[in-house]
Structures are given as structure tokens and as C-alpha cells.
Amino acid sequence: MNEIQIREATIEDAALIADLSRQTFYDSFARDNSRENMDKFMNEVFTRDSLMKEVGAAGNTFLLAEQDGEVVGYARLRETTNPLLTEYGAAIEIARIYAVQRSIGKGVGSALMQRCIDVAKQKNARVIWLGVWEHNHKAIAFYTKWGFERFSEHVFMLGDDAQTDWLMKKLL
């Protein structure tokens, strides 16, 4: 297996990112949520069109992980300020970071995370943060390993199900 390459996505990658976003989200959460809530979220909020519009939008940076000529993961960074983090000034949110199912545990997440941190530093952010479902124990362990710590929580609506996301931050 060849090394994982990370590149910044372009507007030409919008359809690829939208399809990859929907696939990885569904693969990650369908088994732990009702079909009705997953369908409602995928068809009303996480639509292909809405995801394609994010690519190239101001304040968004998308990263694609490629290995052996195939896209195996992606991340979405968003320049945004969480009201709870204003003391740090500039902040970058990791709005999404996913690997395709067959590549989980093979270094894709680590390669993407390192590039996310590098991009945040290049943009002079003092803190990088993210939200993670409280029941996604593997992801929480991964983020903790990277030095993220919980600082708050918020509600994430998956269809009609109000779920709790932990907010985690890492100082840069």
C-alpha cells in the first residue's frame, strides 16, 4: 500500500465530496440510529446539493485523502468562532473528518488530522475544535489521543432525534 496523500479539494471535487460525505456519514451512523431519522436527515439536511454548495464557499477548506489513486477520506474545515472560544481569537472548526469504511484504522484519520492542524496553524488559528456524538467512543478516543479536550456540548438534530454532541478543543 502506498502512502496517504492529502490535497486541498477544488470546486471540481464538489460532487465527489458530496457523495463521499453522504456515504461516510451513513456508514458511520446508520447502524446506531433509526432508518426514519437517518432518511429524514439525509433527504432534508445532508442533501447532495447542499453539500456541493459548501465546496468553494467562503471560510470552508476541504481536504481529500488519497491512496493508490483512490479517495479514502476527507475533512471539512470551517473558519468560525464558537462563542465559548472567543478568548482565543481565531478558531478553526473541523466540521467533518471521515475515512471510508475499509480504510478506518489504516492511518487515514491521522493523516487528515495532521493536515487539519497544519492548515489551522497556517491560518493563524489559536484553537481548533470539533463536535462529536457522545456515543461515538472510537472517535472520542481518537480526538483525545490528538490532544483534544471536552469543553462543552450542544444538540445535533438527526431527523427527529435530538442527540448530544461533545465539543472538543485543542490549543495550537
Side-chain angles (χ1 to χ4, degrees):
M1 233 188 246
N2 291 327
E3 185 179 323
I4 298 164
Q5 303 292 320
I6 308 293
R7 70 172 174 89
E8 192 167 323
T10 67
I11 196 72
E12 288 79 25
D13 296 309
L16 168 69
I17 289 169
D19 293 341
L20 186 61
S21 296
R22 288 174 54 82
Q23 173 201 337
T24 55
F25 186 89
Y26 194 86
D27 289 348
S28 295
F29 301 112
R31 71 181 168 276
D32 296 316
N33 291 281
S34 74
R35 181 176 195 88
E36 295 77 21
N37 283 327
M38 286 297 295
D39 287 348
K40 183 173 185 175
F41 181 76
M42 299 293 284
N43 295 325
E44 295 178 12
V45 178
F46 216 57
T47 67
R48 190 172 195 259
D49 286 344
S50 68
L51 293 167
M52 286 178 66
K53 289 176 186 168
E54 293 174 348
V55 181
N60 282 301
T61 301
F62 282 86
L63 304 172
L64 289 172
E66 298 175 336
Q67 188 172 40
D68 297 326
E70 183 180 356
V71 175
V72 292
Y74 83 104
R76 175 188 176 206
L77 298 172
R78 185 167 45 190
E79 296 174 45
T80 181
T81 303
N82 182 301
L84 300 173
L85 298 174
T86 55
E87 68 186 274
Y88 300 106
I92 298 282
E93 177 188 9
I94 301 175
R96 285 184 222 119
I97 184 168
Y98 288 95
V100 297
Q101 205 69 30
R102 68 187 171 284
S103 296
I104 292 174
K106 297 181 179 174
V108 174
S110 292
L112 282 166
M113 181 59 78
Q114 185 60 60
R115 183 61 68 87
C116 288
I117 292 168
D118 293 344
V119 168
K121 287 178 178 178
Q122 290 167 3
K123 293 181 179 282
N124 297 314
R126 294 194 46 227
V127 64
I128 191 166
W129 66 282
L130 53 83
V132 57
W133 188 29
E134 66 181 339
H135 298 298
N136 192 345
H137 303 294
K138 274 176 89 172
I140 291 168
F142 174 79
Y143 301 138
T144 301
K145 184 179 94 174
W146 276 90
F148 285 79
E149 58 185 34
R150 183 177 174 191
F151 69 94
S152 190
E153 60 186 43
H154 73 174
V155 173
F156 177 85
M157 290 302 298
L158 184 78
D160 294 323
D161 186 17
Q163 299 183 348
T164 301
D165 276 2
W166 289 3
L167 302 183
M168 300 181 78
K169 71 177 184 215
K170 176 183 174 69
L171 300 180
L172 301 175

